[in-house]
Amino acid sequence: PAGGIFPMTGPDFDGVPEHWMSYLHVDDIDAAVKKAEANGARIHRPPFDIPGTGRIAMIIEPGGAMVGWMTPAAQG
C-alpha cells in the first residue's frame, strides 16, 4: 500500500479541519522520535500502535511543519 484515506470522525478529531497529512516510513519509530526530540522537534502524538498497520507518531519539526512517521507492521 502506498496511501490510505479514513474518515476524521470521533472525539480525537473534534475541531480538526479537513486536511491531508503525509506519513513517512522510518525503520524504528521509537528511536527516530527520540532523535527528533533531541534535535528540537516537538512530539504532537507519541508513538502508538495500529494493529495490522504499524507504529505511528506525529511530530512538529523545528520549523513548525507537522509530519507523521510510521514503522509498518511486519507483513507475513
Side-chain angles (χ1 to χ4, degrees), residues 10-59:
D12 288 341
F13 298 102
D14 286 349
V16 176
E18 183 177 315
H19 66 279
W20 291 95
M21 184 168 171
S22 298
Y23 287 87
L24 304 175
H25 175 127
V26 295
D27 291 329
D28 180 340
I29 190 78
D30 295 289
V33 166
K34 187 179 279 190
K35 184 175 180 179
E37 194 168 29
N39 285 286
R42 290 181 291 136
I43 308 309
H44 179 72
R45 183 143 185 214
F48 61 98
D49 295 309
I50 298 179
T53 299
R55 191 157 171 77
I56 294 175
M58 289 174 241
I59 68 161

